[in-house]
Amino acid sequence: MQALSQTMAGRVHGIGNKRVRRGNWFAAISAALCIFLAMLILVPIANILYDVFWAHAPGASPFDQLGSAKAALTVLANTSLVLGVAAILAVFFGSLFAWLNERTDVEMSWASKVLPIIPLLLPPIAGSIGWVMLASDRAGLLNVWGKRLLEFMGIQTDGPLVSIFSWSGLIFVYLIYTLPHVYLCVASALRNLDPSLEEASRVNGAGPLKTLVKVTLPAVLPAIISGGTISIIYGIALFSVPAIIASQAGIDILAVKIVNLMMAEFPPKTGAALLFGLVIVVVISVMTWIQRRVISSGKFATIGGKGAQVTLVKLGWVRWPARMLLLGYILVATILPFGTLFLVSLQRFWTANIDWSRLSFRHYLNVFGNSFASQGILNSLTLAISVATVVMFVTALIAFRMYTSRNWLVTGAIDFTLKLPATISNLVIGMAFIVMFAGAPFYLHGTLTILLLAYAVLYLPQASIIASSAIAQVGRQLQEASSVAGASEGKTFFRIMFPLMLPGLVAGWTMLFVLLAGDLTASAMLSGTGNPVIGSVILNLWTEGSFAPVAAFATVVSIIMASVVLTVMWISERLTQRSR
Amino acid sequence: MSDLSLRSVTKVFYRKDGEEVHAIDNVSLDIKQGEFIVLLGPSGCGKTTLLRSVAGLEYPSSGSISIGGVDVFNSSRRISLPPETRRLGMVFQSYALWPHLSVADNIAYPLQMEGLRRAAVTSRVTEILEAMQIEHLSKQFPSQISGGQQQRVALARALVRGDSLILFDEPLSNVDAKVREHLRVELLAMQRKLGFTALYVTHDQHEAMGLATKIAVVANGRIAQIDTPERIYRQPKSLEVAEFVGSINKISGRLSSSGDCIRIKTKHGSIPVSPEAVAGRKEQEVFAISRPEDWSVSTETPVSEESWRGEIVASVFLGAHTEYIVRFGELNIVIWKHKGELLPPGQSVWCNVKPESVALFDQG
Ligand SMILES: Nc1ncnc2c1ncn2[C@@H]1O[C@H](COP(=O)(O)OP(=O)(O)OP(=O)(O)O)[C@@H](O)[C@H]1O
Ligand SMILES: [Mg+2]
């Protein structure tokens, strides 16, 4: 004891500031990264705007390229109709599912885990193809088998029972993929909503339904609206679903129009494509603005601590219909289309008259014997792993710097720039990258590098949102405690913050991996025969009409994605359980 | 040489609506090596902000701060050393133990950051673990130990480097009363033994009284008074301090002297005061401040003419003493009595206060 006090007393006056002048390499590196990323985002955008609006040849202004105003307006009207109806339905069903899972005794906790990740389990491109095979007019399994069933029961029908190549079919698939976004928003709002609000209402004599309408709904209304805006933001830039379904249905949709103007025309009508792209930018900006307004105006009553017990609403006889509804959605979004893909992939040709004795894996062998397809998978996986890793790490580092910085101006500017690609939309970024990097002086056309750069930029917004929420969850005090303990910024990051952010970052990595590996939008524009990726391989096989092979390919891709997602979810659940 | 000195430190926050909050308002403070200073004040008065400014976690808007004679912050010379270079220990209110590091690793961290060799780190960590009586917990993770134990770990981490200045932000507010009592005694012993300077934030008066060599009463971002605990209690410099520390009876009246007999004349009777308390005041309106324990209450007819006749409106048995609320007209006086039988409400009583325990403050 005496010794202790002496050793410590001996150190009392040893105030050294050797650390003060040590070069702050950490700050320097993060600053360099920020500048590099900002240039990578801003320069191509500035470049394409300049090219299109100022440097165009006479008579080739973007408005001249647009052609008839009527055709352009039709595209916009179609898109708004599809998106509008899909978003309304998504808001309704998404909120309903969230309420069922969070506030009633429907007791399907696995559904609440699966629902939000459905777009990750079965990527939209695979889902769309699956649904085409299920519900196309002549050879769709549902149509053929359904008709046989009806005939068997003595009912004659004309025409298809269901048609995917129609307005309602298109809206239906949009709905499948926008619903989870609403669900996620509303479910997390409900989870954070102080249950005593609802209990107070019940105690004061309001029934479950009245409580829902008078208390719960108004309280989570901001989340519901924000779920709606997110589904519009997601839907308007969604390319895979309309590329597969809308074109064949003869419905011109904005995202497809843009890609066609860039890829199907020679020379590419960049100007017209950019004008359409700007519509997307405007829509996304408006939606983001609405979302901000709604969230900041919301008087959220949230619970501070954990452990609040919710009294669940007893559904009674409605319980089974409610369960069927939830189950129905999950079936329709995953198992049905995936099963169909798998079934078709085993056939020689896509037909509803299945010869069960002749099913085989021949297409799998063919597809992977085909160097184009296997190269596509390899490229996609390599790109996805490297981009997800690098982008997640870099955004974590930048998020940390922004968290500790007191320079609001610089922090705000960086934050704005990193999130800019989300507003600009992947379509416009893809265009900007073609114009900037494909030709002189970079000549990156058809290389993996151009894909790598574009992917990095495209997924920066998601990554930086994940990184900042990961760091916010760690909290400021742990970082401050490390600074006070004498750790430099770099040490604080690597020894304290990064390890603690890891669970959040891993979840983010998974999401990025799946989105990157299944990316179609940028890939449709930036990848060619020299640098195939999963998305472009699927699109190629599809347009060639090799349906059974595309089904085989999509099956394999879906299995890879789903296993990655489920494995990481499982691991991170174990990890968070251990650290508690 | 004073170990910590603050010169006209001011910190202004800007709220979202543009309102200015002077969290620290022109505070100057000198603390000598080995002192135990407690910042005591109501919630939101700027204690945490002051502490964080010393640690370098907050940048004051103006002023200067020096530790051991070294300027760590000086707004006019544009000096602001980052926290990691200030070499002080800090105990956070919520402990701020790193959940992914074991107890031993948490404590070793400040030493590792200094670049100490592994053997030296291990032996120092062992020493402090023993001193804090938590050596059996060294391999545990923070989530696996109790709140009181976490508090010891946080304390050990702050002390391990042997810094001359340790900051505490309400370190005992999250543990239960018994553990708090215990840790307080230990903390004091530690401080006397190691001789570090302590700057300790709390809003608990008992804690402040029990720990401090000096208490600084903070109100609205300013230091209202800095003094020994006894003087803060017995001779508050302002009504503000008197009202915040302990319980008081505040009686308004007029100072009047007839011969060598000085009294406060009130609507309910008069109170004798000592000449020291008068401190040169003339006949004027004043507040007479007295503590509940300085009053006596009795059912017997008084011997002195300064006794007031009143009626007990509430009597509460509190263990060590009984609290009576006695009404004189519209005036209620709180009185603590340590012995004697419990007097029931409705009982009419005679009360008086010791002249030497009455303090005066100007009205208006
Ligand atoms: N980051 C900030 N932005 C704006 N105002 C702040 C900020 N931090 C503190 N304040 C304000 O400064 C004042 C002092 O806050 P401080 O945290 O120092 O109080 P405190 O004395 O520690 O209170 P408590 O006992 O409740 O911890 C408060 O009015 C608070 O609202
Ligand atoms: Mg505080």
Side-chain angles (χ1 to χ4, degrees), chain A residues 196-221:
Chain A
S196 63
L197 288 182
E198 289 157 279
E199 280 160 10
S201 158
R202 295 294 295 276
V203 170
N204 286 313
L209 206 62
K210 197 153 192 192
T211 302
L212 173 64
V213 175
K214 292 252 171 193
V215 177
T216 317
L217 277 184
V220 294
L221 192 63

Side-chain angles (χ1 to χ4, degrees), chain B residues 13 15 21 23 42-49 170 203:
Chain B
F13 285 116
R15 291 253 162 83
V21 181
S43 188
C45 68
K47 308 178 297 284
T48 298
T49 311
E170 309 203 22
H203 56 238

Side-chain angles (χ1 to χ4, degrees), chain A residues 19 406 477 480 482 495, chain B residues 52 59 94 100 109 113:
Chain A
R19 239 171 274 279
R406 285 157 212 264
Q477 279 210 341
E480 289 178 345
S482 170
R495 296 242 358 223
Chain B
R52 290 169 54 84
Y59 289 111
S94 61
H100 63 304
Y109 191 86
M113 291 305 127

Side-chain angles (χ1 to χ4, degrees), chain A residues 481-498:
Chain A
S482 170
S483 298
V484 172
S488 63
E489 273 201 14
K491 286 243 170 69
T492 299
F493 179 69
F494 285 108
R495 296 242 358 223
I496 304 292
M497 297 309 268
F498 187 71

Side-chain angles (χ1 to χ4, degrees), chain A residues 1-9 11-20 406 476-489 491-492 495-497 499-500 578-580, chain B residues 33 52 55-59 67 81 83-85 87-90 92 94 96-101 109-110 112-115 124 127-128 131 143 157 159-164 193-194:
Chain A
M1 194 47 68
Q2 195 62 38
L4 172 71
S5 61
Q6 266 165 13
T7 47
M8 290 196 169
R11 309 191 44 79
V12 156
H13 297 290
I15 294 190
N17 32 13
K18 57 175 180 183
R19 239 171 274 279
V20 183
R406 285 157 212 264
R476 204 170 279 285
Q477 279 210 341
L478 296 180
Q479 170 243 322
E480 289 178 345
S482 170
S483 298
V484 172
S488 63
E489 273 201 14
K491 286 243 170 69
T492 299
R495 296 242 358 223
I496 304 292
M497 297 309 268
L500 290 173
R578 217 188 51 190
S579 74
R580 281 220 178 98
Chain B
Q33 178 64 45
R52 290 169 54 84
L57 299 171
E58 205 82 71
Y59 289 111
I67 300 174
L81 298 190
E84 64 264 28
T85 61
R87 295 202 50 101
L88 40 83
M90 182 160 178
F92 291 79
S94 61
L97 298 178
W98 301 300
H100 63 304
L101 300 182
Y109 191 86
Q112 290 165 346
M113 291 305 127
E114 262 203 318
R124 191 86 62 81
E127 274 175 72
I128 193 113
S143 57
R157 185 179 68 184
L159 298 180
V160 70
R161 204 168 45 186
D163 297 321
S164 62
K193 189 157 51 202
L194 301 178

Side-chain angles (χ1 to χ4, degrees), chain A residues 48 237 239 254-264 268-270 273-274 277 280 424-435 437-438 444-447 450-451 454-455 458 519-529 531 533 535-536 539:
Chain A
I48 193 175
F239 170 69
L254 197 52
V256 180
K257 183 81 184 170
I258 292 174
V259 174
N260 284 345
L261 283 169
M262 292 299 290
M263 307 310 294
K269 290 192 173 170
T270 314
L274 185 63
I280 297 187
I424 305 292
S425 104
N426 38 12
L427 291 159
V428 178
I429 300 272
M431 281 173 1
F433 266 68
I434 296 187
V435 173
F437 294 111
L444 292 179
H445 177 74
T447 62
I450 194 169
L451 279 172
Y455 282 175
L458 281 180
D519 177 275
L520 191 57
T521 330
S523 317
M525 286 193 257
L526 296 175
S527 91
T529 44
N531 56 350
V533 289
S536 60
L539 216 54

